[in-house]
Amino acid sequence: MSALCHLTDLLRTFCTFCVRRGSPRQSERRNTTGHAANQCRVYQDCFSFSASFFIIIEYNSRVHPPEEPHVCAHSLICWTKMVLDHRSAFRASVLLACVIICSDVLCPVGGSLYSNRYTGDQVFRITPGNDEEVHALRKMLTRMKVDFWQPNSVSLICQNATVDVHVKRNDTRGLRAHLKQENIHYGVLISNLQKEIEKQTGSHSSRKRRSESQYDYEVYHSLEEIQSWMFEMNRTHPYLVDMFSVGKSYEGRPLYVLQLGKRSRPQKKAVWIDCGVHAREWIGPAFCQWFVKEAINSYLYDSAMRRLLNQLNFYIMPVFNVDGYHFSWTTDRFWRKTRSKNHKFHCRGVDANRNWKVKWCEEGASSHPCDDTYCGPYPESEPEVKAVAKFLRKHKKRVKAYISIHAYAQMLLYPYSYKYATIPNFNCVESAAHNAVTALYSAYGVKYRYGPASTTLYVSSGSSIDWAYRNGIRYAFAFELRDTGHFGFLLPESLISPTCTETMRAVKAIATGLLKKCETDRNKFPYI
């Protein structure tokens, strides 16, 4: 990425900070007059900074005239600036700051969609037919260091189960030769990963940013856009929405949550929904935004939704892994983990769904920092996990359901993840899962498998649903949204609407079930 893009990123970060500083604290949220005055002071600081920044851009344009196509916007601004006096430069800097806050036009993702780093990469689907093939496949994939899509670890490869792996272009020919030599069945799901990425999202650089009233829920949004949207929803729907932060990420980003529900009584039952635990699963944050939009828009005319928002609070966390999600937009589209540093290894990040304090770092998790399922140095080592766990512990008497949105597999999972066993309130949870997938199927006929995570998907320890169940939240679910591998993590934007529409029905079914009493709820609810 050019030096100009780095400078632009610096200004965007500064001005985003300005906007957040100018936003009302929870205690001040209703004092709009004071908030406006505070914003004016903050914006003056921001624009003064941007004026200085503008001079830096002028210098860069003179010494290093931009040659790359993706900085053509910089060129226009820089050369135009040359004919402006200092007063008009300041006014122009105000415009520039606004453009940077509201748009990524100046620096599209990775400069040119991740700098074409995925050109020629392929996604293979491999199916080992016996134990010998399983052993041979594990050996060759370990040696090649591929990116596992499904399952997410070499240790989870088993007989007659498909394995989806992202293979670098330099390794595709070698992998084909080895698979043919071992007579292992395979196919190519994606023949050119770079082209599929471009098809999924189109051109981010040319997409017009929208205000909340025109916000497009059928495209994927960056972290900055999502957080700006959250502020706007909080501002425009004070009767149903309350925004707060549960903490900060490893890189210092706020962990925002929207509380959704009518303010009727303080001790309402609650449902927690988080999305974006794994950075590359972009359909997750898209669903969380969709849920908020649908709930608010249908409150007045949908009696079922009105009843839910009157009797329940929904805590919606659109992006759990904020650092990783941001990184998946700027640098590595298929990044999964958090972005914390490890002092002994160059590898960064922890699997945020292996870091919870329940059977931590046992089967289905890795103790090696370079693995995608790395459990971390200790339970709740990740500030994102620790912050959410602290919030849920504090409110566990009111939180009756925990729902985590993932992709991909088309499954609805519940505890246990770490062992093959039946939970004490199996009948109630199984019934809720059945009702959910039935409601989901009614939208477009898409079939989801459902059951305990350990038997339906694979064994994993330190997961959030096991932790939630362990801490007394009786209904703990993890959705694995569309699809089953044709697109994988690159679900096209054209499928956001149907995917979110059907998932909305499933979540509403689970929430509606909480308003009824399940028979086995009378039994003692033991901890794990």
Side-chain angles (χ1 to χ4, degrees), residues 286-386:
F287 170 73
C288 268
Q289 294 170 84
W290 188 277
F291 181 90
V292 172
K293 178 259 298 185
E294 283 295 304
I296 291 173
N297 290 351
S298 63
Y299 179 77
L300 293 177
Y301 67 84
D302 182 345
S303 60
M305 180 56 74
R306 186 163 57 250
R307 182 174 177 233
L308 288 177
L309 293 181
N310 286 345
Q311 299 191 33
L312 297 171
N313 280 330
F314 291 86
Y315 295 112
I316 313 295
M317 190 176 196
V319 187
F320 183 108
N321 178 10
V322 289
D323 297 343
Y325 185 73
H326 177 75
F327 191 72
S328 76
W329 273 75
T330 60
T331 308
D332 184 351
R333 174 63 185 85
F334 303 106
W335 187 259
R336 169 184 167 92
K337 301 187 288 182
T338 62
R339 292 293 297 161
S340 57
K341 290 182 179 178
N342 186 288
H343 298 297
K344 295 182 180 179
F345 293 83
H346 70 279
C347 304
R348 295 186 66 160
V350 168
D351 186 339
N353 201 32
R354 300 291 185 279
N355 192 234
W356 297 77
K357 196 173 183 178
V358 52
K359 303 298 177 180
W360 175 78
C361 218
E362 296 186 11
E363 186 178 356
S366 172
S367 59
H368 197 290
C370 294
D371 289 342
D372 267 352
T373 55
Y374 175 46
C375 59
Y378 52 87
E380 295 182 19
S381 63
E382 303 312 283
E384 300 87 350
V385 174
K386 188 177 183 67

